[in-house]
Amino acid sequence: GDEYVISGQKTWSSRASFADWGFGLFRTEEGSKRHKGLSFILFDLNSPGITRRPIRQLHGEPGFAELFFDEVRVPAANMLAGEGQGWNVAMATAGFERGLMLRSPGRFQATAKRLVDLYRANAANASPATREAVTQAWMGTQAYAYNTYSVAAKILAGGKIGAEASLNKIFWSELDRSMNRAAMQLMGAAAELAKFADGSVNQWLDGYIFSLSGPIYAGSNEIQRNIIAERFLGLPRQGAG
Ligand SMILES: Cc1cc2nc3c(=O)[nH]c(=O)nc-3n(C[C@H](O)[C@H](O)[C@H](O)COP(=O)(O)OP(=O)(O)OC[C@H]3O[C@@H](n4cnc5c(N)ncnc54)[C@H](O)[C@@H]3O)c2cc1C
């Protein structure tokens, strides 16, 4: 009829503890397997039948939630691109997430600037390795910005994001981790006094803890390396012998 009735469970939903809307891939064809028979549906997170169980992170904030759907009624008009087309939509959104939108260069450039300021304030205690890490971080954020502009220009010219989104994802997740790690090294033991220290230390600790999840979310880096090997470099498929 005019509605889909959704039942099931989903963990690791970012920001679902406080968001109003969500989207997901749902199996709409009985008996279908893997990426076939899936549909992309948007849903109001306040709908009757949805239970959210916030997941608390290391620092106590509930950045994620586990969602339970118990016969949730969603208007059929909330489906994007038609029944069974969900995988195509998800691959397009994953391409943008990994390759362009999720972690903007401006955000990294701002972090690199804060890192340079932190280095200047602590230069007397910094090892040559930390100085090198700060320089690499600053150069990495500039390179990341130029690369993002080039991907955007390619799309504006009618092109598509391809397997290079996986290269980008590995780059930004490793850059984020190394920038935050360098900051932690500059601050020494004080960096771990999250609850008691001033705002700047808290912010770096927050960033460091979050950066550790970068190689996992938006598709783990091991999987991105498989994609690069198979689709970019044309190497044999994993398990193909
Ligand atoms: C902070 C965070 C936020 C997230 N937000 C969301 C969200 O909003 N929505 C959502 O849907 N999901 C979200 N996720 C889930 C995330 O996308 C998955 O955790 C991630 O894709 C890895 O899948 P998995 O946990 O099932 O690990 P698994 O697939 O079980 O993998 C476990 C380990 O084995 C490795 N591995 C698995 N298969 C292979 C292979 N073929 N070759 C080599 N190595 C392999 C993986 O790289 C990984 O290290 C989030 C996760 C985190 C940590």
Side-chain angles (χ1 to χ4, degrees):
D2 298 338
E3 292 175 326
Y4 287 94
V5 182
I6 299 174
S7 291
Q9 180 187 346
K10 173 77 183 86
T11 189
W12 286 125
S13 296
S14 291
R15 303 185 181 88
S17 310
F18 40 82
D20 291 323
W21 280 82
F23 59 80
L25 278 180
F26 299 92
R27 198 164 288 287
T28 45
E29 188 188 322
E30 219 177 322
S32 59
K33 295 253 174 346
R34 296 171 62 88
H35 61 282
K36 300 209 172 74
L38 299 171
S39 301
F40 192 99
I41 301 176
L42 298 101
F43 50 89
D44 183 339
L45 270 162
N46 298 310
S47 308
I50 294 187
T51 307
R52 322 179 196 204
R53 188 185 292 163
I55 301 174
R56 225 160 266 291
Q57 295 161 259
L58 268 178
H59 58 20
E61 300 294 330
F64 321 96
E66 187 168 17
L67 297 176
F68 298 87
F69 299 79
D70 186 11
E71 302 203 345
V72 179
R73 294 185 167 271
V74 179
N78 286 16
M79 181 181 288
L80 208 63
E83 217 169 78
Q85 297 302 313
W87 187 250
N88 295 338
V89 181
M91 285 303 94
T93 59
F96 277 95
E97 184 179 43
R98 293 169 190 160
L100 201 61
M101 313 269 271
L102 183 66
R103 305 291 280 168
S104 82
R107 187 184 243 186
F108 286 131
Q109 286 170 310
T111 305
K113 188 175 173 309
R114 280 199 297 123
L115 182 62
V116 171
D117 292 344
L118 187 71
Y119 173 79
R120 289 202 171 114
N122 295 276
N125 312 323
S127 69
T130 306
R131 187 174 63 188
E132 171 74 10
V134 173
T135 312
Q136 287 293 338
W138 194 86
M139 292 192 322
T141 58
Q142 299 305 315
Y144 179 57
Y146 291 132
N147 185 63
T148 305
Y149 301 153
S150 118
V151 174
K154 182 178 161 192
I155 293 169
L156 281 173
K160 284 191 175 157
I161 302 185
E164 68 263 39
S166 298
L167 287 173
N168 215 41
K169 201 261 140 161
I170 293 174
F171 190 80
W172 62 245
S173 55
E174 293 187 348
L175 175 65
D176 198 23
R177 204 175 43 182
S178 61
M179 275 200 291
N180 282 287
R181 189 187 287 145
M184 297 294 282
Q185 280 164 356
L186 277 169
M187 291 183 299
E192 291 176 25
L193 300 174
K195 297 274 185 210
F196 312 101
D198 69 38
S200 63
V201 172
N202 271 321
Q203 200 178 0
W204 283 115
L205 183 66
D206 238 37
Y208 176 65
I209 291 174
F210 188 74
S211 76
L212 299 178
S213 63
I216 305 172
Y217 69 83
S220 77
N221 284 11
E222 289 80 14
I223 297 293
Q224 303 317 305
R225 288 189 164 94
N226 284 348
I227 294 173
I228 292 164
E230 290 165 15
R231 294 192 217 150
F232 218 59
L233 304 176
L235 297 176
R237 278 183 70 81
Q238 195 194 24

mmCIF file of all heavy atoms in Angstrom, residues 10-15 57 64 97-98 210 213-223 226 238, ligand 1:
data_model
loop_
_atom_site.group_PDB
_atom_site.id
_atom_site.type_symbol
_atom_site.label_atom_id
_atom_site.label_comp_id
_atom_site.label_asym_id
_atom_site.label_seq_id
_atom_site.Cartn_x
_atom_site.Cartn_y
_atom_site.Cartn_z
ATOM 1 N N LYS A 10 19.645 -2.010 14.204
ATOM 2 C CA LYS A 10 20.851 -1.454 13.590
ATOM 3 C C LYS A 10 21.712 -0.825 14.673
ATOM 4 O O LYS A 10 21.238 0.012 15.436
ATOM 5 C CB LYS A 10 20.451 -0.386 12.561
ATOM 6 C CG LYS A 10 21.617 0.385 11.975
ATOM 7 C CD LYS A 10 22.358 -0.419 10.925
ATOM 8 C CE LYS A 10 23.568 0.321 10.388
ATOM 9 N NZ LYS A 10 24.773 0.112 11.233
ATOM 10 N N THR A 11 22.981 -1.231 14.699
ATOM 11 C CA THR A 11 23.874 -0.628 15.690
ATOM 12 C C THR A 11 24.782 0.397 15.017
ATOM 13 O O THR A 11 24.745 0.557 13.801
ATOM 14 C CB THR A 11 24.669 -1.715 16.449
ATOM 15 O OG1 THR A 11 25.354 -1.100 17.529
ATOM 16 C CG2 THR A 11 25.672 -2.400 15.540
ATOM 17 N N TRP A 12 25.569 1.112 15.794
ATOM 18 C CA TRP A 12 26.536 2.084 15.267
ATOM 19 C C TRP A 12 25.898 3.149 14.390
ATOM 20 O O TRP A 12 26.437 3.449 13.326
ATOM 21 C CB TRP A 12 27.630 1.393 14.453
ATOM 22 C CG TRP A 12 28.629 0.644 15.240
ATOM 23 C CD1 TRP A 12 28.951 -0.655 15.074
ATOM 24 C CD2 TRP A 12 29.455 1.127 16.307
ATOM 25 N NE1 TRP A 12 29.920 -1.008 15.969
ATOM 26 C CE2 TRP A 12 30.235 0.071 16.735
ATOM 27 C CE3 TRP A 12 29.577 2.374 16.944
ATOM 28 C CZ2 TRP A 12 31.140 0.181 17.773
ATOM 29 C CZ3 TRP A 12 30.474 2.500 17.984
ATOM 30 C CH2 TRP A 12 31.240 1.408 18.380
ATOM 31 N N SER A 13 24.775 3.707 14.789
ATOM 32 C CA SER A 13 24.188 4.769 13.972
ATOM 33 C C SER A 13 24.665 6.102 14.532
ATOM 34 O O SER A 13 24.233 6.533 15.609
ATOM 35 C CB SER A 13 22.664 4.676 14.000
ATOM 36 O OG SER A 13 22.273 3.466 13.395
ATOM 37 N N SER A 14 25.558 6.760 13.772
ATOM 38 C CA SER A 14 26.155 8.012 14.240
ATOM 39 C C SER A 14 25.084 9.072 14.452
ATOM 40 O O SER A 14 24.221 9.268 13.602
ATOM 41 C CB SER A 14 27.155 8.544 13.212
ATOM 42 O OG SER A 14 28.274 7.713 13.161
ATOM 43 N N ARG A 15 25.177 9.754 15.557
ATOM 44 C CA ARG A 15 24.311 10.887 15.930
ATOM 45 C C ARG A 15 22.837 10.513 16.103
ATOM 46 O O ARG A 15 21.993 11.381 16.269
ATOM 47 C CB ARG A 15 24.435 12.027 14.917
ATOM 48 C CG ARG A 15 25.872 12.482 14.781
ATOM 49 C CD ARG A 15 26.035 13.676 13.879
ATOM 50 N NE ARG A 15 27.448 14.027 13.800
ATOM 51 C CZ ARG A 15 28.297 13.505 12.926
ATOM 52 N NH1 ARG A 15 27.879 12.625 12.049
ATOM 53 N NH2 ARG A 15 29.549 13.855 12.928
ATOM 54 N N GLN A 57 30.518 6.788 24.515
ATOM 55 C CA GLN A 57 31.907 6.613 24.081
ATOM 56 C C GLN A 57 32.842 6.656 25.288
ATOM 57 O O GLN A 57 32.412 6.918 26.408
ATOM 58 C CB GLN A 57 32.268 7.724 23.093
ATOM 59 C CG GLN A 57 31.474 7.631 21.806
ATOM 60 C CD GLN A 57 31.496 8.936 21.054
ATOM 61 O OE1 GLN A 57 30.563 9.714 21.082
ATOM 62 N NE2 GLN A 57 32.593 9.192 20.368
ATOM 63 N N PHE A 64 26.661 7.821 19.339
ATOM 64 C CA PHE A 64 26.021 6.815 18.479
ATOM 65 C C PHE A 64 24.831 6.230 19.226
ATOM 66 O O PHE A 64 24.692 6.411 20.420
ATOM 67 C CB PHE A 64 26.960 5.646 18.172
ATOM 68 C CG PHE A 64 28.352 6.095 17.937
ATOM 69 C CD1 PHE A 64 29.279 6.070 18.957
ATOM 70 C CD2 PHE A 64 28.717 6.578 16.704
ATOM 71 C CE1 PHE A 64 30.555 6.517 18.744
ATOM 72 C CE2 PHE A 64 29.986 7.024 16.480
ATOM 73 C CZ PHE A 64 30.910 6.999 17.506
ATOM 74 N N GLU A 97 30.821 10.263 0.947
ATOM 75 C CA GLU A 97 31.283 10.223 2.343
ATOM 76 C C GLU A 97 32.799 10.025 2.397
ATOM 77 O O GLU A 97 33.504 10.720 3.112
ATOM 78 C CB GLU A 97 30.563 9.069 3.050
ATOM 79 C CG GLU A 97 30.872 8.969 4.530
ATOM 80 C CD GLU A 97 30.113 7.835 5.206
ATOM 81 O OE1 GLU A 97 30.032 6.734 4.615
ATOM 82 O OE2 GLU A 97 29.607 8.046 6.319
ATOM 83 N N ARG A 98 33.291 9.093 1.602
ATOM 84 C CA ARG A 98 34.729 8.785 1.648
ATOM 85 C C ARG A 98 35.539 9.811 0.868
ATOM 86 O O ARG A 98 36.679 10.111 1.231
ATOM 87 C CB ARG A 98 34.982 7.396 1.039
ATOM 88 C CG ARG A 98 34.391 6.292 1.862
ATOM 89 C CD ARG A 98 34.415 4.955 1.125
ATOM 90 N NE ARG A 98 33.624 3.993 1.873
ATOM 91 C CZ ARG A 98 33.127 2.879 1.366
ATOM 92 N NH1 ARG A 98 33.340 2.562 0.104
ATOM 93 N NH2 ARG A 98 32.405 2.068 2.115
ATOM 94 N N PHE A 210 38.509 10.404 19.059
ATOM 95 C CA PHE A 210 37.642 10.223 17.891
ATOM 96 C C PHE A 210 38.444 9.782 16.663
ATOM 97 O O PHE A 210 37.982 8.953 15.871
ATOM 98 C CB PHE A 210 36.851 11.500 17.585
ATOM 99 C CG PHE A 210 35.829 11.277 16.515
ATOM 100 C CD1 PHE A 210 34.670 10.570 16.791
ATOM 101 C CD2 PHE A 210 36.040 11.713 15.220
ATOM 102 C CE1 PHE A 210 33.740 10.305 15.801
ATOM 103 C CE2 PHE A 210 35.126 11.458 14.212
ATOM 104 C CZ PHE A 210 33.958 10.762 14.509
ATOM 105 N N SER A 213 38.797 6.169 15.613
ATOM 106 C CA SER A 213 37.727 5.425 14.937
ATOM 107 C C SER A 213 37.714 5.693 13.423
ATOM 108 O O SER A 213 37.023 5.000 12.682
ATOM 109 C CB SER A 213 36.363 5.774 15.549
ATOM 110 O OG SER A 213 36.068 7.146 15.349
ATOM 111 N N GLY A 214 38.487 6.698 12.969
ATOM 112 C CA GLY A 214 38.493 7.043 11.540
ATOM 113 C C GLY A 214 38.827 5.886 10.613
ATOM 114 O O GLY A 214 38.177 5.713 9.580
ATOM 115 N N PRO A 215 39.834 5.063 10.945
ATOM 116 C CA PRO A 215 40.130 3.941 10.048
ATOM 117 C C PRO A 215 39.042 2.856 10.038
ATOM 118 O O PRO A 215 39.145 1.889 9.278
ATOM 119 C CB PRO A 215 41.443 3.377 10.631
ATOM 120 C CG PRO A 215 42.050 4.526 11.372
ATOM 121 C CD PRO A 215 40.872 5.263 11.955
ATOM 122 N N ILE A 216 38.013 3.001 10.882
ATOM 123 C CA ILE A 216 36.942 1.995 10.913
ATOM 124 C C ILE A 216 35.675 2.522 10.216
ATOM 125 O O ILE A 216 35.127 1.874 9.323
ATOM 126 C CB ILE A 216 36.591 1.584 12.364
ATOM 127 C CG1 ILE A 216 37.826 1.095 13.104
ATOM 128 C CG2 ILE A 216 35.492 0.528 12.360
ATOM 129 C CD1 ILE A 216 37.607 0.863 14.591
ATOM 130 N N TYR A 217 35.204 3.712 10.630
ATOM 131 C CA TYR A 217 33.900 4.152 10.081
ATOM 132 C C TYR A 217 34.055 4.599 8.621
ATOM 133 O O TYR A 217 35.155 4.816 8.149
ATOM 134 C CB TYR A 217 33.249 5.228 10.957
ATOM 135 C CG TYR A 217 33.918 6.581 10.984
ATOM 136 C CD1 TYR A 217 33.682 7.516 9.984
ATOM 137 C CD2 TYR A 217 34.750 6.945 12.033
ATOM 138 C CE1 TYR A 217 34.277 8.761 10.019
ATOM 139 C CE2 TYR A 217 35.349 8.184 12.080
ATOM 140 C CZ TYR A 217 35.105 9.086 11.058
ATOM 141 O OH TYR A 217 35.694 10.305 11.088
ATOM 142 N N ALA A 218 32.915 4.726 7.963
ATOM 143 C CA ALA A 218 32.857 5.007 6.507
ATOM 144 C C ALA A 218 33.517 3.887 5.701
ATOM 145 O O ALA A 218 33.972 4.098 4.578
ATOM 146 C CB ALA A 218 33.495 6.365 6.172
ATOM 147 N N GLY A 219 33.569 2.688 6.267
ATOM 148 C CA GLY A 219 34.182 1.545 5.603
ATOM 149 C C GLY A 219 35.629 1.416 6.033
ATOM 150 O O GLY A 219 36.410 2.354 5.859
ATOM 151 N N SER A 220 35.993 0.272 6.635
ATOM 152 C CA SER A 220 37.327 0.169 7.256
ATOM 153 C C SER A 220 38.432 0.332 6.212
ATOM 154 O O SER A 220 38.248 0.042 5.026
ATOM 155 C CB SER A 220 37.466 -1.171 7.999
ATOM 156 O OG SER A 220 37.682 -2.204 7.070
ATOM 157 N N ASN A 221 39.603 0.776 6.668
ATOM 158 C CA ASN A 221 40.707 1.034 5.735
ATOM 159 C C ASN A 221 41.208 -0.237 5.054
ATOM 160 O O ASN A 221 41.700 -0.184 3.926
ATOM 161 C CB ASN A 221 41.849 1.764 6.464
ATOM 162 C CG ASN A 221 41.511 3.229 6.693
ATOM 163 O OD1 ASN A 221 40.361 3.645 6.492
ATOM 164 N ND2 ASN A 221 42.483 4.016 7.107
ATOM 165 N N GLU A 222 41.071 -1.382 5.748
ATOM 166 C CA GLU A 222 41.480 -2.636 5.086
ATOM 167 C C GLU A 222 40.595 -2.869 3.854
ATOM 168 O O GLU A 222 41.085 -3.252 2.785
ATOM 169 C CB GLU A 222 41.354 -3.829 6.052
ATOM 170 C CG GLU A 222 42.387 -3.849 7.171
ATOM 171 C CD GLU A 222 42.039 -2.905 8.322
ATOM 172 O OE1 GLU A 222 40.878 -2.427 8.382
ATOM 173 O OE2 GLU A 222 42.922 -2.624 9.154
ATOM 174 N N ILE A 223 39.300 -2.619 4.019
ATOM 175 C CA ILE A 223 38.379 -2.810 2.878
ATOM 176 C C ILE A 223 38.690 -1.786 1.780
ATOM 177 O O ILE A 223 38.648 -2.108 0.584
ATOM 178 C CB ILE A 223 36.907 -2.693 3.354
ATOM 179 C CG1 ILE A 223 36.580 -3.801 4.366
ATOM 180 C CG2 ILE A 223 35.941 -2.715 2.163
ATOM 181 C CD1 ILE A 223 36.582 -5.205 3.815
ATOM 182 N N ASN A 226 41.452 -3.078 -0.190
ATOM 183 C CA ASN A 226 40.995 -4.114 -1.138
ATOM 184 C C ASN A 226 40.397 -3.466 -2.383
ATOM 185 O O ASN A 226 40.654 -3.892 -3.512
ATOM 186 C CB ASN A 226 39.916 -5.008 -0.492
ATOM 187 C CG ASN A 226 40.495 -6.003 0.499
ATOM 188 O OD1 ASN A 226 41.704 -6.185 0.561
ATOM 189 N ND2 ASN A 226 39.633 -6.641 1.270
ATOM 190 N N GLN A 238 40.192 -10.576 -4.079
ATOM 191 C CA GLN A 238 40.588 -11.272 -2.869
ATOM 192 C C GLN A 238 39.987 -12.681 -2.874
ATOM 193 O O GLN A 238 38.802 -12.840 -3.176
ATOM 194 C CB GLN A 238 40.053 -10.491 -1.671
ATOM 195 C CG GLN A 238 40.680 -10.899 -0.390
ATOM 196 C CD GLN A 238 39.892 -10.363 0.789
ATOM 197 O OE1 GLN A 238 38.712 -10.088 0.690
ATOM 198 N NE2 GLN A 238 40.552 -10.228 1.903
HETATM 199 C C1 LIG B 1 32.666 5.735 15.103
HETATM 200 C C2 LIG B 1 31.808 4.869 14.200
HETATM 201 C C3 LIG B 1 30.681 5.412 13.588
HETATM 202 C C4 LIG B 1 29.891 4.630 12.759
HETATM 203 N N1 LIG B 1 28.756 5.172 12.208
HETATM 204 C C5 LIG B 1 27.959 4.408 11.430
HETATM 205 C C6 LIG B 1 26.729 4.919 10.894
HETATM 206 O O1 LIG B 1 26.347 6.073 11.129
HETATM 207 N N2 LIG B 1 25.972 4.112 10.139
HETATM 208 C C7 LIG B 1 26.354 2.844 9.850
HETATM 209 O O2 LIG B 1 25.643 2.147 9.124
HETATM 210 N N3 LIG B 1 27.496 2.314 10.354
HETATM 211 C C8 LIG B 1 28.301 3.069 11.138
HETATM 212 N N4 LIG B 1 29.461 2.524 11.661
HETATM 213 C C9 LIG B 1 29.786 1.133 11.353
HETATM 214 C C10 LIG B 1 31.006 1.026 10.421
HETATM 215 O O3 LIG B 1 30.678 1.377 9.101
HETATM 216 C C11 LIG B 1 31.523 -0.433 10.526
HETATM 217 O O4 LIG B 1 31.940 -0.642 11.863
HETATM 218 C C12 LIG B 1 32.702 -0.657 9.572
HETATM 219 O O5 LIG B 1 32.289 -0.566 8.227
HETATM 220 C C13 LIG B 1 33.367 -2.025 9.791
HETATM 221 O O6 LIG B 1 32.435 -3.034 9.734
HETATM 222 P P1 LIG B 1 32.285 -4.068 10.934
HETATM 223 O O7 LIG B 1 32.229 -3.290 12.235
HETATM 224 O O8 LIG B 1 31.153 -4.960 10.598
HETATM 225 O O9 LIG B 1 33.662 -4.828 10.951
HETATM 226 P P2 LIG B 1 33.989 -6.207 10.236
HETATM 227 O O10 LIG B 1 33.519 -6.179 8.796
HETATM 228 O O11 LIG B 1 33.515 -7.331 11.113
HETATM 229 O O12 LIG B 1 35.575 -6.146 10.223
HETATM 230 C C14 LIG B 1 36.391 -6.438 11.373
HETATM 231 C C15 LIG B 1 37.840 -6.238 10.972
HETATM 232 O O13 LIG B 1 38.194 -7.166 9.922
HETATM 233 C C16 LIG B 1 38.658 -6.452 8.771
HETATM 234 N N5 LIG B 1 38.135 -7.091 7.546
HETATM 235 C C17 LIG B 1 36.851 -7.491 7.317
HETATM 236 N N6 LIG B 1 36.721 -8.009 6.078
HETATM 237 C C18 LIG B 1 37.945 -7.930 5.492
HETATM 238 C C19 LIG B 1 38.458 -8.261 4.213
HETATM 239 N N7 LIG B 1 37.677 -8.795 3.270
HETATM 240 N N8 LIG B 1 39.779 -8.010 3.946
HETATM 241 C C20 LIG B 1 40.592 -7.448 4.901
HETATM 242 N N9 LIG B 1 40.157 -7.117 6.144
HETATM 243 C C21 LIG B 1 38.859 -7.337 6.434
HETATM 244 C C22 LIG B 1 38.094 -5.042 8.905
HETATM 245 O O14 LIG B 1 38.876 -4.103 8.207
HETATM 246 C C23 LIG B 1 38.160 -4.852 10.407
HETATM 247 O O15 LIG B 1 39.450 -4.459 10.813
HETATM 248 C C24 LIG B 1 30.251 3.288 12.529
HETATM 249 C C25 LIG B 1 31.381 2.750 13.150
HETATM 250 C C26 LIG B 1 32.140 3.514 13.983
HETATM 251 C C27 LIG B 1 33.347 2.886 14.658
#
